[in-house]
Amino acid sequence: MAPIKNGRVLFNEVPEGLPVAGKTTIYDESHTIDIDIIPLNGGFVAKLLSISVDPYLRGRMRKPEKKSYSNPFTLGEPISNYAVSVVLRSEDDSVKPGDHVYGLFPYQEYSVLTKAQIMRTLDNKENLPWSLFVGILGMTGQTAYYAWKEYAQAKAGETAFISAAAGAVGATVVQFAKADGMKVIASSGSEEKVELAKSMGADVSFNYKTSETAEVLQKEGPISVYWDNVGGPTLEAAIENASTGARFIECGMISGYNGESYFVKNLMQIVGKQLHIHGFIVGYLGPKYDEEFYSTVPARVASGEIKYKEHVYKGLEGASQAIVDVQSGANFGKAVIVVAEQ
Ligand SMILES: NC(=O)c1ccc[n+]([C@@H]2O[C@H](COP(=O)([O-])OP(=O)(O)OC[C@H]3O[C@@H](n4cnc5c(N)ncnc54)[C@H](OP(=O)(O)O)[C@@H]3O)[C@@H](O)[C@H]2O)c1
Protein backbone atom coordinates (compact mmCIF):
# COMPACT_ATOMS: atom_id res chain seq x y z
CA MET A 1 0.00 0.00 0.00
CA ALA A 2 1.27 3.48 -0.84
CA PRO A 3 1.70 6.04 1.95
CA ILE A 4 -1.51 7.91 2.76
CA LYS A 5 -2.18 11.29 4.38
CA ASN A 6 -2.17 11.25 8.17
CA GLY A 7 -3.97 14.44 9.25
CA ARG A 8 -3.49 15.58 12.86
CA VAL A 9 -4.20 18.47 15.20
CA LEU A 10 -1.14 20.03 16.85
CA PHE A 11 -0.80 22.08 20.00
CA ASN A 12 0.72 25.28 18.66
CA GLU A 13 0.52 27.94 21.35
CA VAL A 14 -0.51 28.32 25.00
CA PRO A 15 -3.63 30.52 24.82
CA GLU A 16 -4.36 33.64 26.84
CA GLY A 17 -8.07 33.44 27.55
CA LEU A 18 -10.22 31.70 24.95
CA PRO A 19 -8.30 29.41 22.53
CA VAL A 20 -8.15 30.63 18.92
CA ALA A 21 -8.85 28.16 16.10
CA GLY A 22 -5.82 27.88 13.80
CA LYS A 23 -3.57 29.54 16.36
CA THR A 24 -3.82 27.63 19.64
CA THR A 25 -4.23 24.36 17.76
CA ILE A 26 -3.60 23.82 14.05
CA TYR A 27 -4.60 21.14 11.59
CA ASP A 28 -1.57 19.63 9.86
CA GLU A 29 -1.49 17.39 6.78
CA SER A 30 2.26 17.22 6.25
CA HIS A 31 2.64 13.63 7.52
CA THR A 32 1.95 10.41 5.63
CA ILE A 33 1.83 6.83 6.88
CA ASP A 34 2.18 3.42 5.21
CA ILE A 35 -0.05 1.13 7.26
CA ASP A 36 1.58 -2.06 5.90
CA ILE A 37 5.16 -1.26 6.80
CA ILE A 38 5.11 1.22 9.68
CA PRO A 39 7.09 -0.36 12.57
CA LEU A 40 4.76 -1.43 15.39
CA ASN A 41 7.35 -2.40 18.00
CA GLY A 42 5.01 -5.00 19.50
CA GLY A 43 1.99 -2.67 19.40
CA PHE A 44 -0.67 -2.02 16.78
CA VAL A 45 -1.73 0.61 14.27
CA ALA A 46 -5.27 1.96 14.53
CA LYS A 47 -7.53 4.25 12.57
CA LEU A 48 -9.29 7.01 14.51
CA LEU A 49 -13.10 6.86 14.18
CA SER A 50 -14.45 9.34 16.76
CA ILE A 51 -12.73 11.64 19.22
CA SER A 52 -14.26 13.72 21.98
CA VAL A 53 -14.09 17.49 22.46
CA ASP A 54 -14.37 18.42 26.13
CA PRO A 55 -14.14 21.52 28.29
CA TYR A 56 -11.20 20.09 30.29
CA LEU A 57 -8.97 20.23 27.19
CA ARG A 58 -8.57 23.94 27.96
CA GLY A 59 -6.78 23.00 31.18
CA ARG A 60 -4.30 20.87 29.22
CA MET A 61 -3.35 23.86 27.05
CA ARG A 62 -0.91 25.15 29.63
CA LYS A 63 2.78 25.47 30.35
CA PRO A 64 4.11 22.12 31.62
CA GLU A 65 5.37 23.57 34.91
CA LYS A 66 1.80 24.44 35.95
CA LYS A 67 0.41 21.50 37.96
CA SER A 68 -3.07 20.07 37.44
CA TYR A 69 -4.93 16.73 37.54
CA SER A 70 -4.55 16.24 33.76
CA ASN A 71 -1.38 16.09 31.66
CA PRO A 72 -0.44 19.23 29.73
CA PHE A 73 -0.25 19.07 25.93
CA THR A 74 3.22 19.28 24.36
CA LEU A 75 3.83 22.14 21.95
CA GLY A 76 4.28 20.90 18.39
CA GLU A 77 2.72 17.48 19.18
CA PRO A 78 -0.82 16.23 18.51
CA ILE A 79 -3.33 16.92 21.26
CA SER A 80 -5.14 13.86 22.62
CA ASN A 81 -8.45 12.90 24.16
CA TYR A 82 -10.97 10.08 24.69
CA ALA A 83 -11.49 8.32 21.38
CA VAL A 84 -12.61 5.18 19.59
CA SER A 85 -10.26 3.66 17.03
CA VAL A 86 -10.35 0.49 14.97
CA VAL A 87 -7.28 -1.74 14.88
CA LEU A 88 -5.83 -2.27 11.38
CA ARG A 89 -2.65 -4.28 12.01
CA SER A 90 -1.23 -5.69 15.22
CA GLU A 91 1.84 -7.38 16.64
CA ASP A 92 0.12 -7.86 20.00
CA ASP A 93 -1.78 -11.17 20.17
CA SER A 94 -4.33 -9.70 22.58
CA VAL A 95 -5.27 -6.88 20.20
CA LYS A 96 -6.81 -8.06 16.94
CA PRO A 97 -7.39 -6.30 13.64
CA GLY A 98 -11.05 -5.18 13.64
CA ASP A 99 -11.12 -4.58 17.43
CA HIS A 100 -12.69 -1.27 18.43
CA VAL A 101 -10.66 0.22 21.22
CA TYR A 102 -11.37 3.13 23.59
CA GLY A 103 -8.69 5.21 25.24
CA LEU A 104 -6.80 8.49 25.31
CA PHE A 105 -5.53 8.69 21.73
CA PRO A 106 -3.97 11.46 19.61
CA TYR A 107 -6.04 13.73 17.38
CA GLN A 108 -4.45 11.96 14.40
CA GLU A 109 -6.05 9.84 11.68
CA TYR A 110 -3.72 6.83 12.14
CA SER A 111 -1.59 6.10 15.20
CA VAL A 112 0.73 3.38 16.40
CA LEU A 113 -0.45 2.53 19.90
CA THR A 114 0.26 0.05 22.67
CA LYS A 115 -2.02 -2.14 24.77
CA ALA A 116 -1.33 0.11 27.77
CA GLN A 117 -3.17 2.95 26.01
CA ILE A 118 -6.41 0.98 25.71
CA MET A 119 -8.93 1.65 28.47
CA ARG A 120 -11.47 -0.78 27.04
CA THR A 121 -12.14 -2.98 24.02
CA LEU A 122 -15.73 -2.23 23.02
CA ASP A 123 -18.19 -4.96 22.09
CA ASN A 124 -21.11 -2.74 20.96
CA LYS A 125 -23.73 -5.50 21.11
CA GLU A 126 -26.44 -2.93 20.35
CA ASN A 127 -24.69 -1.83 17.15
CA LEU A 128 -24.78 1.85 18.15
CA PRO A 129 -22.82 4.59 16.33
CA TRP A 130 -19.20 4.59 17.51
CA SER A 131 -19.40 8.32 18.24
CA LEU A 132 -21.64 7.55 21.23
CA PHE A 133 -18.77 5.72 22.92
CA VAL A 134 -16.98 9.03 23.48
CA GLY A 135 -20.22 10.74 24.57
CA ILE A 136 -23.19 9.27 26.37
CA LEU A 137 -21.38 5.88 26.47
CA GLY A 138 -17.96 7.33 27.18
CA MET A 139 -16.39 9.71 29.66
CA THR A 140 -19.32 12.14 29.43
CA GLY A 141 -22.05 9.65 30.28
CA GLN A 142 -19.82 8.12 32.94
CA THR A 143 -19.38 11.50 34.59
CA ALA A 144 -23.13 11.97 34.91
CA TYR A 145 -23.83 8.36 35.92
CA TYR A 146 -21.04 7.84 38.45
CA ALA A 147 -21.22 11.12 40.32
CA TRP A 148 -25.03 11.19 40.41
CA LYS A 149 -25.04 7.73 41.97
CA GLU A 150 -22.20 8.49 44.31
CA TYR A 151 -23.23 11.88 45.65
CA ALA A 152 -26.79 12.99 44.84
CA GLN A 153 -28.69 11.03 47.51
CA ALA A 154 -31.74 11.96 45.47
CA LYS A 155 -35.13 11.90 47.15
CA ALA A 156 -38.40 12.06 45.25
CA GLY A 157 -40.08 15.42 45.69
CA GLU A 158 -36.87 17.31 46.39
CA THR A 159 -35.50 19.89 43.96
CA ALA A 160 -32.29 19.65 41.89
CA PHE A 161 -30.64 22.50 40.01
CA ILE A 162 -28.37 21.69 37.05
CA SER A 163 -26.26 24.27 35.21
CA ALA A 164 -25.07 23.89 31.58
CA ALA A 165 -28.12 21.62 31.54
CA ALA A 166 -28.32 21.28 27.76
CA GLY A 167 -24.69 20.21 27.53
CA ALA A 168 -23.26 16.74 27.24
CA VAL A 169 -23.09 16.01 30.97
CA GLY A 170 -25.93 18.31 32.03
CA ALA A 171 -28.59 16.86 29.72
CA THR A 172 -27.82 13.39 31.06
CA VAL A 173 -27.99 14.52 34.69
CA VAL A 174 -31.38 16.15 34.04
CA GLN A 175 -32.70 12.71 33.06
CA PHE A 176 -31.23 10.96 36.11
CA ALA A 177 -32.66 13.58 38.46
CA LYS A 178 -36.10 13.27 36.85
CA ALA A 179 -35.96 9.47 36.97
CA ASP A 180 -35.35 9.78 40.73
CA GLY A 181 -38.55 11.79 41.08
CA MET A 182 -36.98 15.18 41.66
CA LYS A 183 -38.21 18.57 40.51
CA VAL A 184 -35.52 19.74 38.07
CA ILE A 185 -34.43 23.33 37.47
CA ALA A 186 -32.14 23.68 34.44
CA SER A 187 -30.07 26.65 33.27
CA SER A 188 -28.50 27.02 29.84
CA GLY A 189 -27.34 29.75 27.47
CA SER A 190 -29.80 29.95 24.57
CA GLU A 191 -33.48 29.49 23.79
CA GLU A 192 -32.86 26.31 21.79
CA LYS A 193 -30.88 24.90 24.74
CA VAL A 194 -33.74 25.81 27.09
CA GLU A 195 -36.04 23.72 24.88
CA LEU A 196 -33.56 20.84 24.79
CA ALA A 197 -33.30 20.73 28.60
CA LYS A 198 -37.13 20.69 28.75
CA SER A 199 -37.24 17.81 26.30
CA MET A 200 -34.85 15.91 28.60
CA GLY A 201 -37.37 16.35 31.43
CA ALA A 202 -36.54 19.64 33.17
CA ASP A 203 -39.56 21.14 34.95
CA VAL A 204 -38.15 24.66 35.00
CA SER A 205 -35.77 25.50 32.16
CA PHE A 206 -34.35 29.00 31.76
CA ASN A 207 -31.74 31.01 29.88
CA TYR A 208 -29.25 32.37 32.42
CA LYS A 209 -28.28 35.13 29.98
CA THR A 210 -31.77 36.63 29.94
CA SER A 211 -33.08 35.60 33.40
CA GLU A 212 -31.50 36.17 36.80
CA THR A 213 -30.43 32.76 38.18
CA ALA A 214 -30.83 33.86 41.81
CA GLU A 215 -34.40 35.03 41.15
CA VAL A 216 -35.38 31.76 39.46
CA LEU A 217 -33.91 29.72 42.32
CA GLN A 218 -35.59 31.87 44.94
CA LYS A 219 -38.95 31.32 43.24
CA GLU A 220 -38.54 27.62 42.38
CA GLY A 221 -36.23 26.44 45.18
CA PRO A 222 -34.86 25.84 47.70
CA ILE A 223 -32.61 23.25 46.15
CA SER A 224 -31.46 20.00 47.73
CA VAL A 225 -28.98 19.05 45.01
CA TYR A 226 -26.87 21.36 42.84
CA TRP A 227 -24.98 19.81 39.90
CA ASP A 228 -22.38 22.46 39.18
CA ASN A 229 -20.90 22.61 35.67
CA VAL A 230 -20.10 26.31 35.62
CA GLY A 231 -19.00 27.74 39.02
CA GLY A 232 -18.88 31.56 39.32
CA PRO A 233 -21.96 33.63 40.15
CA THR A 234 -24.21 30.63 39.40
CA LEU A 235 -22.58 28.72 42.26
CA GLU A 236 -23.08 31.74 44.49
CA ALA A 237 -26.79 31.78 43.60
CA ALA A 238 -27.05 28.05 44.28
CA ILE A 239 -25.48 28.41 47.75
CA GLU A 240 -27.83 31.30 48.50
CA ASN A 241 -30.85 29.13 47.64
CA ALA A 242 -29.71 25.78 49.05
CA SER A 243 -31.65 24.02 51.78
CA THR A 244 -29.93 22.76 54.91
CA GLY A 245 -27.89 19.64 54.15
CA ALA A 246 -28.01 20.13 50.36
CA ARG A 247 -25.56 18.16 48.22
CA PHE A 248 -23.34 20.10 45.81
CA ILE A 249 -21.80 17.96 43.07
CA GLU A 250 -18.84 20.00 41.84
CA CYS A 251 -18.35 18.64 38.34
CA GLY A 252 -16.74 21.65 36.67
CA MET A 253 -16.50 25.43 36.65
CA ILE A 254 -16.32 26.31 32.97
CA SER A 255 -17.13 30.00 33.55
CA GLY A 256 -13.56 30.38 34.85
CA TYR A 257 -11.63 28.26 32.34
CA ASN A 258 -10.85 31.08 29.93
CA GLY A 259 -10.51 34.14 32.12
CA GLU A 260 -10.30 35.51 35.60
CA SER A 261 -11.62 33.34 38.40
CA TYR A 262 -14.74 34.65 40.14
CA PHE A 263 -14.59 34.71 43.94
CA VAL A 264 -17.77 33.33 45.43
CA LYS A 265 -18.73 35.64 48.27
CA ASN A 266 -21.13 33.56 50.39
CA LEU A 267 -18.98 30.51 51.19
CA MET A 268 -19.70 30.90 54.92
CA GLN A 269 -23.21 29.59 54.19
CA ILE A 270 -21.61 26.19 53.57
CA VAL A 271 -21.08 26.04 57.31
CA GLY A 272 -24.46 27.37 58.44
CA LYS A 273 -26.44 25.27 55.95
CA GLN A 274 -24.22 22.22 56.52
CA LEU A 275 -23.77 21.74 52.78
CA HIS A 276 -22.06 18.64 51.42
CA ILE A 277 -19.60 19.72 48.72
CA HIS A 278 -18.35 16.86 46.52
CA GLY A 279 -15.62 17.62 44.03
CA PHE A 280 -14.69 14.66 41.83
CA ILE A 281 -12.77 13.53 38.76
CA VAL A 282 -14.66 10.84 36.87
CA GLY A 283 -11.69 8.51 36.34
CA TYR A 284 -11.34 7.96 40.07
CA LEU A 285 -14.89 6.59 40.26
CA GLY A 286 -14.26 4.23 37.31
CA PRO A 287 -13.18 1.15 39.30
CA LYS A 288 -16.46 1.29 41.25
CA TYR A 289 -18.86 1.87 38.35
CA ASP A 290 -17.28 0.94 34.97
CA GLU A 291 -18.61 -2.62 34.75
CA GLU A 292 -22.12 -1.65 35.85
CA PHE A 293 -22.07 1.22 33.34
CA TYR A 294 -20.98 -0.79 30.31
CA SER A 295 -23.28 -3.70 31.12
CA THR A 296 -26.43 -1.58 31.52
CA VAL A 297 -26.24 1.86 29.90
CA PRO A 298 -25.72 0.89 26.20
CA ALA A 299 -29.02 -1.05 26.25
CA ARG A 300 -30.81 1.87 27.94
CA VAL A 301 -29.48 4.21 25.25
CA ALA A 302 -30.40 1.78 22.47
CA SER A 303 -33.96 1.50 23.80
CA GLY A 304 -34.34 5.28 23.93
CA GLU A 305 -34.76 5.31 27.72
CA ILE A 306 -31.65 7.50 28.06
CA LYS A 307 -31.67 10.30 25.50
CA TYR A 308 -28.73 12.20 24.09
CA LYS A 309 -27.94 14.96 21.63
CA GLU A 310 -24.71 15.09 19.68
CA HIS A 311 -23.03 17.99 17.94
CA VAL A 312 -21.03 16.20 15.26
CA TYR A 313 -18.05 17.81 13.52
CA LYS A 314 -16.85 15.90 10.48
CA GLY A 315 -13.10 15.43 10.14
CA LEU A 316 -10.11 16.69 12.11
CA GLU A 317 -10.01 19.83 9.94
CA GLY A 318 -12.81 21.31 12.08
CA ALA A 319 -11.39 20.22 15.45
CA SER A 320 -9.77 23.55 16.38
CA GLN A 321 -13.09 25.36 15.93
CA ALA A 322 -14.96 22.63 17.83
CA ILE A 323 -12.64 23.17 20.80
CA VAL A 324 -13.42 26.90 20.80
CA ASP A 325 -17.16 26.21 20.40
CA VAL A 326 -17.25 24.08 23.56
CA GLN A 327 -15.48 26.78 25.57
CA SER A 328 -17.79 29.51 24.32
CA GLY A 329 -21.14 27.69 24.34
CA ALA A 330 -21.53 27.38 20.55
CA ASN A 331 -21.88 23.60 20.78
CA PHE A 332 -25.44 22.28 20.87
CA GLY A 333 -25.11 18.79 22.38
CA LYS A 334 -22.13 16.55 23.00
CA ALA A 335 -19.26 17.79 20.82
CA VAL A 336 -17.60 14.94 18.93
CA ILE A 337 -15.35 14.76 15.89
CA VAL A 338 -16.32 11.92 13.58
CA VAL A 339 -13.16 11.24 11.62
CA ALA A 340 -14.34 8.06 9.90
CA GLU A 341 -17.47 5.93 10.18
CA GLN A 342 -15.64 2.58 10.09
N1 LIG B 1 -15.29 16.28 37.07
C1 LIG B 1 -15.17 15.53 35.99
O1 LIG B 1 -14.62 14.41 36.01
C2 LIG B 1 -15.75 16.04 34.69
C3 LIG B 1 -15.87 15.21 33.56
C4 LIG B 1 -16.48 15.72 32.40
C5 LIG B 1 -16.90 17.06 32.37
N2 LIG B 1 -16.71 17.84 33.47
C6 LIG B 1 -17.16 19.24 33.49
O2 LIG B 1 -18.56 19.23 33.22
C7 LIG B 1 -18.93 20.48 32.65
C8 LIG B 1 -19.76 20.23 31.41
O3 LIG B 1 -18.98 19.51 30.46
P1 LIG B 1 -19.62 18.96 29.12
O4 LIG B 1 -18.65 18.03 28.52
O5 LIG B 1 -20.99 18.51 29.40
O6 LIG B 1 -19.66 20.25 28.19
P2 LIG B 1 -20.92 20.92 27.49
O7 LIG B 1 -21.88 21.30 28.56
O8 LIG B 1 -21.41 20.06 26.38
O9 LIG B 1 -20.28 22.22 26.86
C9 LIG B 1 -19.83 23.25 27.68
C10 LIG B 1 -20.99 24.23 27.96
O10 LIG B 1 -20.62 25.06 29.04
C11 LIG B 1 -21.38 26.25 28.96
N3 LIG B 1 -20.54 27.42 29.21
C12 LIG B 1 -19.47 27.81 28.50
N4 LIG B 1 -18.98 28.97 29.03
C13 LIG B 1 -19.77 29.27 30.07
C14 LIG B 1 -19.78 30.35 31.01
N5 LIG B 1 -18.87 31.33 30.98
N6 LIG B 1 -20.74 30.36 31.95
C15 LIG B 1 -21.68 29.37 32.00
N7 LIG B 1 -21.71 28.34 31.13
C16 LIG B 1 -20.76 28.29 30.19
C17 LIG B 1 -21.94 26.33 27.53
O11 LIG B 1 -23.33 26.09 27.60
P3 LIG B 1 -24.36 27.31 27.70
O12 LIG B 1 -24.59 27.76 26.28
O13 LIG B 1 -25.55 26.69 28.33
O14 LIG B 1 -23.71 28.37 28.52
C18 LIG B 1 -21.22 25.21 26.81
O15 LIG B 1 -22.01 24.68 25.79
C19 LIG B 1 -17.64 21.24 32.42
O16 LIG B 1 -17.42 22.13 33.48
C20 LIG B 1 -16.58 20.15 32.44
O17 LIG B 1 -15.31 20.65 32.78
C21 LIG B 1 -16.14 17.35 34.60
Side-chain angles (χ1 to χ4, degrees), residues 137-156:
L137 300 176
M139 189 273 278
T140 302
Q142 289 161 355
T143 299
Y145 187 94
Y146 300 1
W148 186 260
K149 278 207 134 180
E150 186 74 10
Y151 304 120
Q153 295 172 31
K155 289 182 197 68

Side-chain angles (χ1 to χ4, degrees), residues 172-191:
T172 316
V173 175
V174 168
Q175 297 177 67
F176 293 155
K178 246 356 257 179
D180 282 343
M182 300 189 84
K183 170 181 171 181
V184 175
I185 307 174
S187 69
S188 55
S190 72
E191 294 313 310

Side-chain angles (χ1 to χ4, degrees), residues 210-226:
T210 54
S211 300
E212 207 52 60
T213 301
E215 283 173 19
V216 176
L217 296 184
Q218 194 173 24
K219 179 162 173 270
E220 303 289 346
I223 58 173
S224 298
V225 175
Y226 174 43

Side-chain angles (χ1 to χ4, degrees), residues 53-56 69 139-140 143 163-171 187-190 193 208-209 227-230 234 250-258 279-283 325-335:
V53 183
D54 296 287
Y56 90 104
Y69 66 92
M139 189 273 278
T140 302
T143 299
S163 52
V169 172
S187 69
S188 55
S190 72
K193 290 184 180 185
Y208 68 90
K209 293 177 181 168
W227 183 287
D228 189 7
N229 284 322
V230 305
T234 310
E250 292 304 321
C251 178
M253 300 197 177
I254 194 169
S255 70
Y257 292 178
N258 297 286
F280 75 98
I281 295 296
V282 59
D325 286 354
V326 167
Q327 298 298 329
S328 59
N331 64 312
F332 186 35
K334 167 64 200 155

Side-chain angles (χ1 to χ4, degrees), residues 10-74:
L10 304 175
F11 184 36
N12 188 55
E13 194 179 284
V14 175
E16 305 255 348
L18 202 63
V20 179
K23 195 163 178 262
T24 308
T25 56
I26 50 172
Y27 177 66
D28 170 66
E29 276 192 355
S30 65
H31 274 210
T32 59
I33 185 169
D34 189 327
I35 304 295
D36 293 332
I37 60 168
I38 180 119
L40 302 183
N41 302 316
F44 59 94
V45 61
K47 176 180 170 181
L48 186 62
L49 298 183
S50 284
I51 192 157
S52 185
V53 183
D54 296 287
Y56 90 104
L57 295 181
R58 177 62 183 84
R60 299 182 65 188
M61 297 173 180
R62 64 179 195 270
K63 296 195 170 125
E65 53 273 21
K66 201 169 160 192
K67 298 284 171 249
S68 180
Y69 66 92
S70 58
N71 292 331
F73 293 133
T74 304

